Coordinates of all heavy atoms in Angstrom, one line a residue:
M1 N 15.5 -14.7 -15.2 CA 15.7 -13.5 -15.8 C 15.0 -12.4 -14.9 O 13.9 -12.5 -14.6 CB 15.2 -13.5 -17.2 CG 15.3 -12.1 -17.9 SD 14.6 -12.3 -19.6 CE 15.9 -11.4 -20.4
A2 N 15.7 -11.3 -14.7 CA 15.2 -10.2 -13.9 C 14.1 -9.5 -14.7 O 14.2 -9.3 -15.9 CB 16.3 -9.2 -13.5
E3 N 13.1 -9.0 -14.0 CA 12.0 -8.3 -14.7 C 12.4 -6.8 -14.9 O 13.1 -6.3 -14.0 CB 10.7 -8.3 -13.8 CG 10.1 -9.7 -13.7 CD 8.8 -9.6 -12.9 OE1 8.1 -8.6 -13.0 OE2 8.5 -10.6 -12.2
D4 N 12.0 -6.3 -16.0 CA 12.3 -4.9 -16.3 C 11.2 -4.1 -15.6 O 10.0 -4.2 -16.0 CB 12.3 -4.7 -17.8 CG 12.5 -3.2 -18.2 OD1 12.7 -2.4 -17.3 OD2 12.5 -2.9 -19.4
S5 N 11.5 -3.3 -14.6 CA 10.5 -2.5 -13.9 C 9.8 -1.5 -14.7 O 8.7 -1.1 -14.4 CB 11.2 -1.8 -12.7 OG 12.1 -0.9 -13.1
S6 N 10.3 -1.2 -15.9 CA 9.6 -0.2 -16.8 C 8.3 -0.8 -17.4 O 7.5 0.0 -17.8 CB 10.5 0.2 -17.9 OG 10.8 -0.8 -18.8
D7 N 8.1 -2.1 -17.4 CA 6.9 -2.7 -18.0 C 6.0 -3.2 -16.9 O 5.1 -3.9 -17.1 CB 7.2 -3.8 -19.0 CG 7.8 -5.0 -18.3 OD1 8.2 -5.0 -17.2 OD2 7.9 -6.1 -19.0
R8 N 6.2 -2.7 -15.7 CA 5.3 -3.1 -14.6 C 4.4 -1.9 -14.2 O 4.8 -0.8 -14.4 CB 6.2 -3.5 -13.4 CG 7.0 -4.8 -13.7 CD 7.8 -5.2 -12.6 NE 6.9 -5.7 -11.6 CZ 7.3 -6.4 -10.5 NH1 8.6 -6.5 -10.2 NH2 6.5 -6.9 -9.6
G9 N 3.3 -2.3 -13.6 CA 2.3 -1.2 -13.2 C 2.8 -0.5 -12.0 O 3.8 -0.9 -11.3
S10 N 2.1 0.5 -11.6 CA 2.4 1.2 -10.4 C 2.2 0.3 -9.2 O 1.2 -0.5 -9.2 CB 1.5 2.4 -10.2 OG 1.8 3.3 -11.3
P11 N 3.0 0.3 -8.2 CA 2.9 -0.7 -7.1 C 1.7 -0.4 -6.2 O 1.3 0.7 -6.1 CB 4.2 -0.5 -6.4 CG 4.7 0.8 -6.7 CD 4.2 1.1 -8.1
I12 N 1.3 -1.5 -5.5 CA 0.3 -1.4 -4.5 C 1.1 -1.6 -3.2 O 1.8 -2.6 -3.0 CB -0.8 -2.4 -4.6 CG1 -1.6 -2.2 -5.9 CG2 -1.7 -2.4 -3.4 CD1 -2.5 -3.4 -6.2
F13 N 1.0 -0.6 -2.3 CA 1.6 -0.7 -1.0 C 0.6 -1.1 0.0 O -0.4 -0.4 0.2 CB 2.3 0.6 -0.6 CG 3.5 0.9 -1.4 CD1 3.4 1.6 -2.6 CD2 4.8 0.6 -0.9 CE1 4.5 1.9 -3.3 CE2 5.9 0.9 -1.7 CZ 5.7 1.6 -2.9
V14 N 0.7 -2.3 0.7 CA -0.2 -2.8 1.7 C 0.4 -2.3 3.0 O 1.4 -2.9 3.5 CB -0.4 -4.3 1.6 CG1 -1.3 -4.8 2.7 CG2 -0.9 -4.7 0.2
V15 N -0.3 -1.4 3.7 CA 0.1 -0.8 4.9 C -0.7 -1.5 6.0 O -1.9 -1.4 6.0 CB 0.0 0.7 5.0 CG1 0.4 1.3 6.3 CG2 0.9 1.3 3.9
S16 N 0.0 -2.1 7.0 CA -0.7 -2.9 8.0 C -0.1 -2.7 9.4 O 1.1 -2.5 9.5 CB -0.7 -4.4 7.6 OG -1.3 -5.2 8.6
G17 N -0.9 -2.8 10.4 CA -0.4 -2.8 11.8 C 0.0 -4.2 12.2 O 0.7 -4.3 13.2
G18 N -0.3 -5.2 11.4 CA 0.1 -6.5 11.6 C 1.1 -7.0 10.6 O 2.0 -6.2 10.1
F19 N 1.0 -8.2 10.1 CA 1.9 -8.8 9.1 C 1.5 -8.3 7.7 O 2.4 -8.4 6.8 CB 1.9 -10.3 9.2 CG 2.6 -10.8 10.4 CD1 1.8 -11.3 11.5 CD2 3.9 -10.8 10.5 CE1 2.4 -11.8 12.6 CE2 4.6 -11.3 11.7 CZ 3.8 -11.8 12.7
G20 N 0.3 -8.0 7.5 CA -0.1 -7.5 6.2 C -0.6 -8.6 5.3 O -0.8 -8.4 4.1
A21 N -0.7 -9.8 5.8 CA -1.0 -11.0 5.0 C -2.4 -10.9 4.3 O -2.6 -11.2 3.2 CB -0.9 -12.3 5.8
S22 N -3.4 -10.4 5.1 CA -4.8 -10.3 4.6 C -4.8 -9.3 3.5 O -5.4 -9.5 2.4 CB -5.7 -9.9 5.7 OG -5.8 -10.9 6.7
G23 N -4.2 -8.1 3.7 CA -4.2 -7.1 2.7 C -3.5 -7.5 1.4 O -4.0 -7.2 0.3
E24 N -2.4 -8.2 1.6 CA -1.7 -8.7 0.4 C -2.5 -9.7 -0.3 O -2.6 -9.6 -1.6 CB -0.4 -9.3 0.9 CG 0.4 -9.8 -0.3 CD 1.7 -10.5 0.1 OE1 1.9 -10.9 1.3 OE2 2.6 -10.6 -0.8
Q25 N -3.2 -10.6 0.4 CA -4.0 -11.6 -0.3 C -5.2 -10.9 -1.1 O -5.5 -11.3 -2.2 CB -4.6 -12.6 0.7 CG -5.4 -13.7 0.0 CD -4.5 -14.5 -0.9 OE1 -3.4 -14.9 -0.6 NE2 -5.0 -14.8 -2.1
I26 N -5.8 -9.9 -0.5 CA -6.9 -9.2 -1.2 C -6.3 -8.5 -2.4 O -7.0 -8.5 -3.5 CB -7.5 -8.2 -0.2 CG1 -8.3 -8.9 0.8 CG2 -8.4 -7.2 -1.0 CD1 -8.8 -8.1 2.0
A27 N -5.2 -7.8 -2.3 CA -4.6 -7.2 -3.5 C -4.3 -8.2 -4.6 O -4.6 -7.9 -5.8 CB -3.3 -6.4 -3.1
R28 N -3.7 -9.3 -4.2 CA -3.3 -10.3 -5.2 C -4.6 -10.9 -5.9 O -4.6 -11.2 -7.1 CB -2.4 -11.3 -4.7 CG -1.0 -10.7 -4.3 CD 0.0 -11.7 -4.1 NE 1.3 -11.1 -3.6 CZ 2.1 -10.5 -4.4 NH1 1.9 -10.3 -5.7 NH2 3.2 -9.9 -3.8
T29 N -5.6 -11.1 -5.1 CA -6.8 -11.7 -5.6 C -7.5 -10.8 -6.6 O -7.9 -11.2 -7.6 CB -7.8 -12.0 -4.4 OG1 -7.2 -13.0 -3.6 CG2 -9.1 -12.6 -4.9
A30 N -7.5 -9.5 -6.2 CA -8.1 -8.5 -7.2 C -7.2 -8.4 -8.5 O -7.8 -8.4 -9.6 CB -8.1 -7.1 -6.5
L31 N -5.9 -8.5 -8.3 CA -5.1 -8.4 -9.5 C -5.2 -9.6 -10.4 O -5.0 -9.5 -11.6 CB -3.6 -8.2 -9.1 CG -3.2 -6.9 -8.5 CD1 -1.8 -6.9 -7.9 CD2 -3.4 -5.8 -9.6
A32 N -5.6 -10.7 -9.8 CA -5.7 -12.0 -10.6 C -6.8 -11.9 -11.7 O -6.8 -12.6 -12.7 CB -6.0 -13.2 -9.7
Q33 N -7.7 -10.9 -11.5 CA -8.7 -10.7 -12.5 C -8.2 -10.1 -13.8 O -8.9 -10.1 -14.8 CB -9.8 -9.8 -12.0 CG -10.5 -10.3 -10.7 CD -11.5 -9.4 -10.2 OE1 -12.4 -8.9 -10.9 NE2 -11.3 -9.0 -8.9
F34 N -7.0 -9.5 -13.8 CA -6.4 -8.9 -14.9 C -5.2 -9.7 -15.5 O -4.1 -9.6 -15.0 CB -5.9 -7.5 -14.5 CG -7.0 -6.6 -13.9 CD1 -7.2 -6.6 -12.6 CD2 -7.9 -6.0 -14.8 CE1 -8.3 -5.8 -12.0 CE2 -9.0 -5.2 -14.2 CZ -9.1 -5.2 -12.9
V35 N -5.6 -10.6 -16.4 CA -4.6 -11.5 -17.0 C -3.4 -10.7 -17.5 O -3.6 -9.7 -18.3 CB -5.2 -12.4 -18.0 CG1 -4.2 -13.3 -18.7 CG2 -6.4 -13.2 -17.4
G36 N -2.2 -11.1 -17.2 CA -1.0 -10.4 -17.7 C -0.6 -9.2 -16.9 O 0.4 -8.6 -17.2
A37 N -1.4 -8.7 -16.0 CA -1.1 -7.5 -15.2 C 0.2 -7.8 -14.4 O 0.3 -8.9 -13.7 CB -2.2 -7.1 -14.3
R38 N 1.1 -6.9 -14.4 CA 2.4 -7.1 -13.7 C 2.5 -6.0 -12.7 O 3.2 -5.0 -12.9 CB 3.5 -7.2 -14.6 CG 3.4 -8.4 -15.6 CD 4.5 -8.4 -16.6 NE 5.8 -8.6 -15.9 CZ 6.9 -8.5 -16.5 NH1 7.0 -8.2 -17.8 NH2 8.0 -8.7 -15.8
V39 N 1.8 -6.0 -11.6 CA 1.7 -5.0 -10.6 C 2.4 -5.5 -9.4 O 1.9 -6.5 -8.8 CB 0.3 -4.6 -10.3 CG1 0.2 -3.5 -9.2 CG2 -0.4 -4.1 -11.6
P40 N 3.5 -4.8 -9.0 CA 4.1 -5.2 -7.7 C 3.3 -4.9 -6.5 O 2.6 -3.9 -6.4 CB 5.4 -4.4 -7.7 CG 5.4 -3.4 -8.8 CD 4.2 -3.7 -9.6
V41 N 3.3 -5.8 -5.5 CA 2.6 -5.6 -4.3 C 3.7 -5.6 -3.2 O 4.4 -6.6 -3.0 CB 1.6 -6.7 -4.0 CG1 0.9 -6.5 -2.6 CG2 0.5 -6.7 -5.1
E42 N 3.8 -4.5 -2.5 CA 4.8 -4.4 -1.4 C 4.1 -4.2 -0.1 O 3.3 -3.4 0.1 CB 5.7 -3.2 -1.7 CG 6.5 -3.4 -2.9 CD 7.6 -2.3 -3.1 OE1 8.0 -1.7 -2.1 OE2 8.0 -2.1 -4.2
V43 N 4.4 -5.1 0.9 CA 3.8 -5.1 2.2 C 4.7 -4.2 3.1 O 5.9 -4.3 3.2 CB 3.6 -6.5 2.8 CG1 3.0 -6.4 4.2 CG2 2.8 -7.3 1.9
V44 N 4.0 -3.3 3.8 CA 4.6 -2.5 4.9 C 4.0 -2.9 6.2 O 3.0 -2.4 6.6 CB 4.4 -1.0 4.6 CG1 5.1 -0.1 5.6 CG2 4.8 -0.6 3.2
P45 N 4.6 -3.9 6.9 CA 4.0 -4.5 8.1 C 4.4 -3.7 9.3 O 5.3 -2.9 9.4 CB 4.6 -5.9 8.1 CG 6.0 -5.7 7.5 CD 5.9 -4.6 6.5
H46 N 3.7 -4.0 10.4 CA 4.0 -3.6 11.8 C 4.0 -2.0 11.9 O 4.9 -1.5 12.6 CB 5.2 -4.2 12.3 CG 5.3 -5.7 12.2 ND1 4.4 -6.5 12.8 CD2 6.0 -6.5 11.4 CE1 4.6 -7.8 12.5 NE2 5.6 -7.8 11.6
V47 N 3.1 -1.4 11.2 CA 3.1 0.1 11.3 C 2.5 0.5 12.6 O 1.4 0.2 12.9 CB 2.3 0.7 10.1 CG1 2.1 2.2 10.2 CG2 3.0 0.4 8.8
R48 N 3.3 1.2 13.4 CA 2.8 1.6 14.7 C 3.0 3.1 15.0 O 2.7 3.6 16.1 CB 3.7 0.9 15.8 CG 3.6 -0.6 15.7 CD 2.5 -1.2 16.5 NE 2.6 -2.7 16.6 CZ 2.1 -3.6 15.8 NH1 1.4 -3.2 14.8 NH2 2.2 -4.9 16.1
S49 N 3.5 3.9 14.0 CA 3.8 5.3 14.3 C 3.5 6.1 13.0 O 3.5 5.6 11.9 CB 5.3 5.5 14.7 OG 6.1 5.3 13.5
V50 N 3.3 7.4 13.3 CA 3.1 8.3 12.2 C 4.3 8.5 11.3 O 4.2 8.6 10.1 CB 2.6 9.7 12.8 CG1 2.5 10.8 11.7 CG2 1.3 9.6 13.5
D51 N 5.5 8.3 11.9 CA 6.7 8.3 11.1 C 6.7 7.2 10.1 O 7.1 7.4 8.9 CB 8.0 8.3 12.0 CG 8.2 9.6 12.7 OD1 7.7 10.6 12.3 OD2 9.0 9.5 13.7
Q52 N 6.3 6.0 10.5 CA 6.2 4.9 9.6 C 5.2 5.2 8.5 O 5.4 4.8 7.3 CB 5.9 3.6 10.3 CG 7.0 3.1 11.2 CD 6.5 1.9 12.0 OE1 5.6 2.1 12.8 NE2 7.2 0.8 11.8
I53 N 4.1 5.8 8.8 CA 3.1 6.1 7.8 C 3.7 7.1 6.8 O 3.5 7.0 5.6 CB 1.8 6.7 8.5 CG1 1.1 5.5 9.2 CG2 0.9 7.4 7.5 CD1 0.0 5.9 10.1
A54 N 4.4 8.2 7.3 CA 4.9 9.2 6.4 C 5.9 8.5 5.5 O 6.0 8.9 4.3 CB 5.6 10.3 7.3
S55 N 6.7 7.6 6.0 CA 7.7 6.9 5.1 C 6.9 6.1 4.0 O 7.3 6.1 2.8 CB 8.5 6.0 6.0 OG 9.4 5.2 5.2
A56 N 5.9 5.4 4.4 CA 5.1 4.5 3.4 C 4.5 5.4 2.4 O 4.5 5.1 1.2 CB 4.1 3.7 4.1
V57 N 3.9 6.6 2.8 CA 3.3 7.5 1.8 C 4.4 8.1 0.9 O 4.1 8.2 -0.3 CB 2.5 8.6 2.6 CG1 2.1 9.7 1.6 CG2 1.3 8.0 3.3
A58 N 5.5 8.4 1.4 CA 6.6 9.0 0.6 C 7.1 7.9 -0.5 O 7.3 8.3 -1.6 CB 7.8 9.4 1.5
R59 N 7.2 6.7 0.0 CA 7.6 5.6 -1.0 C 6.5 5.4 -2.1 O 6.8 5.3 -3.3 CB 7.7 4.3 -0.2 CG 9.0 4.2 0.6 CD 9.1 3.0 1.4 NE 9.0 1.8 0.7 CZ 8.6 0.6 1.3 NH1 8.5 0.5 2.6 NH2 8.5 -0.5 0.5
A60 N 5.2 5.4 -1.7 CA 4.2 5.3 -2.7 C 4.2 6.5 -3.6 O 4.0 6.3 -4.8 CB 2.8 5.2 -2.0
R61 N 4.3 7.6 -3.1 CA 4.4 8.8 -4.0 C 5.5 8.8 -5.0 O 5.4 9.1 -6.2 CB 4.4 10.1 -3.2 CG 4.4 11.3 -4.0 CD 4.3 12.6 -3.2 NE 4.2 13.7 -4.1 CZ 4.6 14.9 -3.9 NH1 5.3 15.2 -2.8 NH2 4.5 15.9 -4.8
A62 N 6.7 8.4 -4.5 CA 7.9 8.4 -5.3 C 7.8 7.4 -6.5 O 8.3 7.6 -7.5 CB 9.1 8.1 -4.5
R63 N 7.0 6.3 -6.2 CA 6.9 5.3 -7.2 C 5.5 5.3 -7.9 O 5.2 4.4 -8.6 CB 7.1 3.9 -6.6 CG 8.6 3.9 -6.1 CD 9.1 2.5 -5.6 NE 8.7 1.5 -6.5 CZ 8.5 0.2 -6.1 NH1 8.6 -0.1 -4.8 NH2 8.2 -0.7 -7.0
R64 N 4.8 6.4 -7.7 CA 3.4 6.5 -8.3 C 2.5 5.4 -7.9 O 1.8 4.9 -8.8 CB 3.5 6.7 -9.8 CG 4.3 8.0 -10.1 CD 4.2 8.2 -11.6 NE 4.9 9.5 -11.9 CZ 5.8 9.6 -12.9 NH1 6.1 8.6 -13.7 NH2 6.4 10.8 -13.0
G65 N 2.6 4.9 -6.7 CA 1.8 3.8 -6.3 C 0.6 4.2 -5.6 O 0.3 5.4 -5.4
I66 N -0.2 3.2 -5.1 CA -1.4 3.4 -4.3 C -1.2 2.6 -3.0 O -0.3 1.8 -2.9 CB -2.6 3.0 -5.1 CG1 -2.6 1.4 -5.3 CG2 -2.8 3.7 -6.4 CD1 -4.0 0.9 -5.8
I67 N -2.0 3.0 -2.1 CA -1.9 2.4 -0.7 C -3.3 1.7 -0.5 O -4.3 2.2 -0.6 CB -1.6 3.4 0.4 CG1 -0.2 4.0 0.2 CG2 -1.8 2.8 1.7 CD1 0.1 5.1 1.1
L68 N -3.1 0.4 -0.1 CA -4.2 -0.4 0.5 C -3.9 -0.6 1.9 O -2.8 -1.1 2.2 CB -4.4 -1.7 -0.3 CG -5.3 -2.7 0.2 CD1 -6.8 -2.2 0.0 CD2 -5.1 -4.0 -0.5
H69 N -4.8 -0.3 2.8 CA -4.4 -0.5 4.3 C -5.4 -1.3 5.0 O -6.6 -1.4 4.6 CB -4.1 0.9 4.9 CG -5.4 1.6 5.3 ND1 -6.0 1.4 6.5 CD2 -6.1 2.5 4.7 CE1 -7.1 2.2 6.6 NE2 -7.2 2.9 5.5
T70 N -4.9 -1.9 6.1 CA -5.8 -2.6 7.0 C -5.6 -2.1 8.4 O -5.8 -2.9 9.4 CB -5.4 -4.1 6.9 OG1 -4.0 -4.3 7.3 CG2 -5.6 -4.7 5.6
L71 N -5.3 -0.9 8.6 CA -5.0 -0.3 9.9 C -6.4 -0.2 10.6 O -7.4 0.3 10.1 CB -4.4 1.1 9.8 CG -3.0 1.2 9.1 CD1 -2.7 2.7 8.9 CD2 -2.0 0.5 10.0
V72 N -6.4 -0.7 11.9 CA -7.5 -0.6 12.7 C -7.4 0.5 13.8 O -8.5 1.0 14.2 CB -7.9 -1.9 13.4 CG1 -8.2 -3.0 12.4 CG2 -6.7 -2.4 14.3
D73 N -6.2 1.0 14.1 CA -6.0 2.1 15.0 C -6.6 3.3 14.4 O -6.1 3.8 13.3 CB -4.5 2.2 15.3 CG -4.3 3.3 16.3 OD1 -4.5 4.5 16.0 OD2 -3.9 3.0 17.5
P74 N -7.6 4.0 15.0 CA -8.2 5.1 14.4 C -7.3 6.3 14.2 O -7.4 7.0 13.2 CB -9.4 5.5 15.3 CG -9.1 4.7 16.6 CD -8.2 3.6 16.3
E75 N -6.3 6.5 15.1 CA -5.4 7.6 14.9 C -4.4 7.4 13.8 O -4.1 8.3 13.0 CB -4.6 7.9 16.2 CG -5.5 8.4 17.3 CD -4.8 8.6 18.7 OE1 -3.5 8.6 18.7 OE2 -5.5 8.7 19.7
L76 N -3.9 6.2 13.7 CA -3.0 5.9 12.6 C -3.7 5.9 11.2 O -3.2 6.4 10.2 CB -2.3 4.5 12.8 CG -1.3 4.5 14.0 CD1 -0.8 3.0 14.1 CD2 -0.2 5.5 13.8
R77 N -4.9 5.4 11.2 CA -5.7 5.4 10.0 C -6.0 6.8 9.5 O -5.8 7.1 8.4 CB -7.1 4.6 10.2 CG -7.9 4.5 9.0 CD -9.1 3.6 9.2 NE -9.9 4.0 10.3 CZ -10.2 3.2 11.4 NH1 -9.7 2.0 11.5 NH2 -11.0 3.7 12.3
A78 N -6.4 7.7 10.5 CA -6.6 9.1 10.1 C -5.3 9.8 9.6 O -5.4 10.5 8.6 CB -7.2 9.8 11.3
A79 N -4.2 9.5 10.2 CA -2.9 10.0 9.8 C -2.6 9.6 8.4 O -2.1 10.4 7.6 CB -1.8 9.7 10.8
L80 N -2.8 8.3 8.1 CA -2.5 7.8 6.8 C -3.4 8.4 5.7 O -2.9 8.9 4.7 CB -2.7 6.2 6.8 CG -2.6 5.6 5.4 CD1 -1.2 5.8 4.9 CD2 -3.0 4.2 5.4
I81 N -4.6 8.5 6.0 CA -5.6 9.1 5.0 C -5.2 10.6 4.8 O -5.1 11.1 3.6 CB -7.0 9.0 5.5 CG1 -7.4 7.5 5.5 CG2 -8.0 9.9 4.7 CD1 -8.7 7.2 6.2
H82 N -4.9 11.3 5.9 CA -4.5 12.7 5.7 C -3.2 12.9 4.9 O -3.1 13.7 4.0 CB -4.4 13.3 7.1 CG -3.9 14.7 7.1 ND1 -4.7 15.8 6.8 CD2 -2.7 15.3 7.4 CE1 -4.0 16.9 6.9 NE2 -2.8 16.6 7.2
K83 N -2.2 12.1 5.3 CA -0.9 12.3 4.6 C -1.0 11.8 3.2 O -0.3 12.4 2.3 CB 0.2 11.5 5.4 CG 0.6 12.1 6.7 CD 1.7 11.4 7.4 CE 2.1 12.1 8.6 NZ 2.5 13.5 8.5
A84 N -1.7 10.8 2.9 CA -1.9 10.3 1.5 C -2.6 11.4 0.7 O -2.2 11.6 -0.5 CB -2.6 9.0 1.5
R85 N -3.6 12.0 1.2 CA -4.3 13.0 0.5 C -3.4 14.2 0.2 O -3.4 14.7 -0.9 CB -5.6 13.5 1.2 CG -6.7 12.5 1.2 CD -8.0 13.0 1.8 NE -9.0 12.0 1.8 CZ -10.0 11.9 2.7 NH1 -10.1 12.8 3.6 NH2 -10.9 10.9 2.6
D86 N -2.7 14.6 1.2 CA -1.7 15.7 1.0 C -0.7 15.4 0.0 O -0.2 16.3 -0.7 CB -1.0 16.0 2.3 CG -1.9 16.8 3.3 OD1 -3.0 17.2 2.9 OD2 -1.5 17.0 4.5
A87 N -0.3 14.1 -0.2 CA 0.7 13.7 -1.1 C 0.1 13.3 -2.5 O 0.8 12.9 -3.4 CB 1.5 12.6 -0.6
N88 N -1.2 13.4 -2.6 CA -1.9 13.0 -3.8 C -1.7 11.5 -4.1 O -1.4 11.2 -5.3 CB -1.5 13.9 -5.0 CG -2.5 13.9 -6.1 OD1 -3.7 13.6 -5.8 ND2 -2.1 14.0 -7.3
V89 N -1.8 10.7 -3.1 CA -1.6 9.3 -3.2 C -3.0 8.6 -2.9 O -3.6 8.9 -1.9 CB -0.5 8.7 -2.3 CG1 -0.5 7.2 -2.3 CG2 0.8 9.3 -2.6
A90 N -3.4 7.8 -3.8 CA -4.7 7.1 -3.6 C -4.6 6.1 -2.5 O -3.6 5.4 -2.3 CB -5.2 6.4 -4.9
V91 N -5.6 6.1 -1.6 CA -5.6 5.2 -0.5 C -6.9 4.5 -0.3 O -8.0 5.1 -0.6 CB -5.2 5.9 0.8 CG1 -6.2 7.0 1.2 CG2 -5.0 5.0 2.0
S92 N -6.9 3.2 0.0 CA -8.2 2.5 0.2 C -8.0 1.6 1.4 O -6.9 1.2 1.8 CB -8.4 1.6 -1.1 OG -9.6 0.9 -0.9
Y93 N -9.1 1.3 2.0 CA -9.2 0.5 3.2 C -9.8 -0.9 3.0 O -10.8 -1.0 2.2 CB -10.0 1.2 4.3 CG -10.3 0.4 5.6 CD1 -9.3 0.1 6.4 CD2 -11.5 0.0 5.9 CE1 -9.5 -0.7 7.6 CE2 -11.8 -0.8 7.0 CZ -10.8 -1.1 7.9 OH -11.0 -1.8 9.0
T94 N -9.3 -1.9 3.6 CA -9.9 -3.2 3.5 C -9.9 -3.8 4.9 O -9.0 -3.5 5.7 CB -9.2 -4.1 2.5 OG1 -9.9 -5.3 2.4 CG2 -7.8 -4.4 2.9
H95 N -10.8 -4.7 5.2 CA -10.9 -5.4 6.5 C -11.3 -6.8 6.3 O -11.6 -7.3 5.3 CB -11.7 -4.6 7.4 CG -13.1 -4.3 7.0 ND1 -13.4 -3.3 6.1 CD2 -14.3 -5.0 7.1 CE1 -14.7 -3.3 5.9 NE2 -15.3 -4.3 6.5

């Protein structure tokens, strides 16, 4: 049976320069503490450009989501933080 998206929490977008596996695992591990929580986790892998960052931020904003990132490139990380703040999207870093 398909899930009704209206009863799910705001999504977590995992933005990564790689595959996003570490960030996804951290998000899912944190969510496991909340029994019954139905929060979608969407991985945005292989982010290499500011355009990709802008797209991820726009998706998060449109769906009232938050961003968890594992970006190590300082320029991309700064661009993500700046664009997320401008769009009023919460952003957090994990490593």
Side-chain angles (χ1 to χ4, degrees):
M1 175 180 226
E3 292 183 32
D4 179 0
S5 64
S6 65
D7 68 347
R8 297 180 71 171
S10 297
I12 298 172
F13 290 86
V14 177
V15 177
S16 177
F19 289 103
S22 296
E24 180 181 19
Q25 184 62 45
I26 289 168
R28 293 195 187 283
T29 299
L31 289 171
Q33 298 177 56
F34 303 96
V35 177
R38 298 177 63 189
V39 178
V41 176
E42 296 188 22
V43 178
V44 182
H46 309 294
V47 173
R48 304 271 195 266
S49 72
V50 174
D51 287 341
Q52 289 173 299
I53 287 171
S55 176
V57 170
R59 287 173 52 200
R61 182 174 185 211
R63 296 189 47 211
R64 296 186 179 136
I66 65 170
I67 294 174
L68 172 70
H69 78 89
T70 59
L71 296 172
V72 295
D73 180 292
E75 291 177 17
L76 292 177
R77 185 173 53 238
L80 175 64
I81 292 167
H82 177 75
K83 290 186 178 299
R85 284 184 185 155
D86 285 352
N88 201 29
V89 173
V91 63
S92 182
Y93 172 70
T94 185
H95 54 278

